[in-house]
Amino acid sequence: MPYAGECQEVYRRASPLKDWFVPMASSVNPRLARGETAQGYYVAGPDGKAYGWYHRQRDPLQVLQFIDGAAAKYRGDPPTKTALPKDSVRTERNLTPAAGTTVVRVFSRIRPLPADADAMSRSIGRDHLWVYPHEIKAIAEASREAGASFSMPKSLAVRLARFHLVSNVRGQPTSWGPDEVRKAELTGKVVTAGGSRTISFGGDFETASKDEVHGFKGRVEGQLTLDAAVGKLTRFRAYAEGEGRGNHAWNRRAGERVRGGLGPFPLVFAFVDVNDNLAKTLPPAGLYYSTPEGYERPRVGGE
Amino acid sequence: MIRTIIVFGFALTLLGAASAQEAKTALSLDEKVASVRPSEQEERWMQIPWQTDLVEARAEAQRQGKPLFLWIMDGHPLACV
């Protein structure tokens, strides 16, 4: 039974999930037992009996060997049937989008990719962006006339800058802080008005750490379709490209080892609205590491 | 099924990301977006029926009499890395 989860859900926050996961994982993962990390693959029984842990995740053949070995242990010592909780605890946190929220899947890559780039640099960054109902309402109110130009909601522009224009290709990044946003502007223009409106948008973005070592500078362009009668976005497409330098947190350690060291390195992003099961169940990474208010209405500068 | 997808999906994800580099000039917005989106080969690992609710996954594993295979990461493996 394959399950994919975030450390925040099963390990870092107090919950019934943690009560089940930590004893199981600690029995096979010495790094977790030392208080380091829970990351990796596990094979376990539903009763909490652990059959193995593996952390060298980028070697598929070794992963399969791990699965085979753990499965053999499972067959030799099967779990005992146990009473299981009936209700999920995921709903205790703000992990699902509220009605009217548009979920946008965000992909990122390093482009152009150096010929000798390592495997991690060839990876694809993934995240979800939430566009909130109050932002869609603001766009609807500002887009009644064809040809009109208007400022897109500031909260959306700052959210893009702080949480989504990040170098997550090589792994999990942190977000930019409020004081690291130098520019976050999105201007909309009404292409077609009426009940179903088409609105193009674009703007320049710049973030930088105080010491100027880490940053991103680039441009976003996009187009959305708004059903004004029901106040919903029916389509959202955007593309961004720019230049990153330095790195973020976990990536920062890797930066010294990759070609070009701390950059600069070219980044491209694609934003596509989605409505599949993952869109409904997996929140933006920023929500795991920020408060709901901090992601929905992100601060900037001296706010 | 899962074994096959893991082998080919992971390998293609790591090796195939640089393909389809397109010229930046004269591309429409949709073409630019498409140039960044993963290819079908790069998405094969997503064909695994990953559960995202551990409570449901435990219950289903018990019903089916199968072990759990857990993939745990800082940054959700399916969407937030």
Side-chain angles (χ1 to χ4, degrees):
Chain A
M1 182 58 53
Y3 163 83
E6 229 276 358
C7 287
Q8 291 283 339
E9 287 189 45
V10 299
Y11 165 55
R12 298 197 188 282
R13 295 175 189 267
S15 75
L17 292 183
K18 179 176 181 177
D19 294 342
W20 178 85
F21 176 79
V22 169
M24 180 282 295
S26 297
S27 70
V28 288
N29 177 357
R31 297 179 69 183
L32 179 59
R34 292 195 298 267
E36 295 175 7
T37 180
Q39 294 184 104
Y41 297 123
Y42 298 83
V43 172
D47 62 346
K49 191 178 294 178
Y51 298 97
W53 167 75
Y54 185 71
H55 189 46
R56 296 187 65 186
Q57 300 164 57
R58 295 181 185 275
D59 185 334
L61 294 180
Q62 290 192 28
V63 172
L64 292 177
Q65 289 174 356
F66 158 71
I67 292 174
D68 287 342
K73 291 179 184 176
Y74 173 91
R75 288 189 294 271
D77 183 16
T80 55
K81 193 156 187 175
T82 185
L84 299 174
K86 292 181 179 175
D87 298 320
S88 169
V89 298
R90 296 192 89 236
T91 53
E92 292 179 0
R93 296 191 54 231
N94 187 24
L95 296 176
T96 54
T101 301
T102 296
V103 180
V104 177
R105 191 154 292 150
V106 186
F107 301 103
S108 62
R109 295 180 189 263
I110 297 173
R111 286 267 178 82
L113 192 64
D116 59 348
D118 63 7
M120 287 183 68
S121 297
R122 296 173 184 271
S123 297
I124 303 169
R126 297 166 188 267
D127 200 354
H128 284 150
L129 159 72
W130 283 0
V131 183
Y132 288 87
H134 65 84
E135 295 166 334
I136 298 171
K137 182 180 179 183
I139 293 170
E141 290 174 350
S143 62
R144 292 196 172 95
E145 295 181 16
S149 294
F150 61 96
S151 293
M152 295 283 277
K154 184 179 178 183
S155 55
L156 175 59
V158 175
R159 187 178 312 121
L160 282 169
R162 287 190 51 197
F163 295 101
H164 294 287
L165 297 176
V166 295
S167 60
N168 61 349
V169 172
R170 294 177 54 86
Q172 177 204 33
T174 53
S175 58
W176 297 108
D179 295 330
E180 295 179 319
V181 178
R182 302 282 176 86
K183 188 179 289 185
E185 300 172 348
L186 268 185
T187 300
K189 184 171 184 179
V190 184
V191 179
T192 59
S196 179
R197 302 175 192 169
T198 302
I199 298 161
S200 62
F201 57 89
D204 296 321
F205 288 77
E206 183 176 357
T207 44
S209 61
K210 191 174 182 179
D211 61 8
E212 302 287 341
V213 172
H214 312 282
F216 174 80
K217 187 175 183 180
R219 181 164 180 81
V220 173
E221 60 176 303
Q223 191 170 79
L224 61 85
T225 305
L226 168 71
D227 184 336
V230 295
K232 286 189 176 179
L233 300 185
T234 56
R235 192 172 192 267
F236 187 106
R237 295 286 187 279
Y239 171 82
E241 64 178 35
E243 189 174 84
R245 67 181 187 280
N247 259 314
H248 290 185
W250 294 272
N251 276 355
R252 198 166 288 179
R253 292 201 302 260
E256 306 287 352
R257 300 197 299 269
V258 301
R259 186 179 185 278
L262 293 176
F265 47 93
L267 292 170
V268 293
F269 301 84
F271 302 77
V272 182
D273 65 283
V274 286
N275 192 31
D276 54 23
N277 188 52
L278 289 183
K280 296 168 186 167
T281 55
L282 298 183
L287 266 176
Y288 281 115
Y289 299 96
S290 178
T291 62
E293 179 73 9
Y295 181 78
E296 181 175 352
R297 300 177 190 275
R299 291 188 301 114
V300 63
E303 290 180 348
Chain B
M1 174 68 170
I2 291 177
R3 293 167 53 90
T4 303
I5 293 174
I6 286 176
V7 168
F8 289 103
F10 280 19
L12 289 167
T13 295
L14 295 176
L15 297 175
S19 62
Q21 172 74 17
E22 296 184 45
K24 291 179 182 174
T25 56
L27 289 181
S28 68
L29 173 63
D30 283 347
E31 288 172 327
K32 290 177 181 177
V33 169
S35 75
V36 182
R37 295 178 71 166
S39 66
E40 286 187 18
Q41 289 184 330
E42 290 171 327
E43 292 273 66
R44 285 196 67 188
W45 61 283
M46 296 290 276
Q47 294 174 21
I48 295 171
W50 298 105
Q51 293 266 356
T52 57
D53 187 315
L54 185 52
V55 172
E56 291 181 6
R58 287 174 63 198
E60 192 60 27
Q62 183 154 283
R63 272 194 294 273
Q64 295 188 21
K66 292 182 177 179
L68 287 152
F69 176 65
L70 309 175
W71 183 11
I72 306 296
M73 292 293 290
D74 278 317
H76 200 290
L78 303 185
C80 300
V81 158

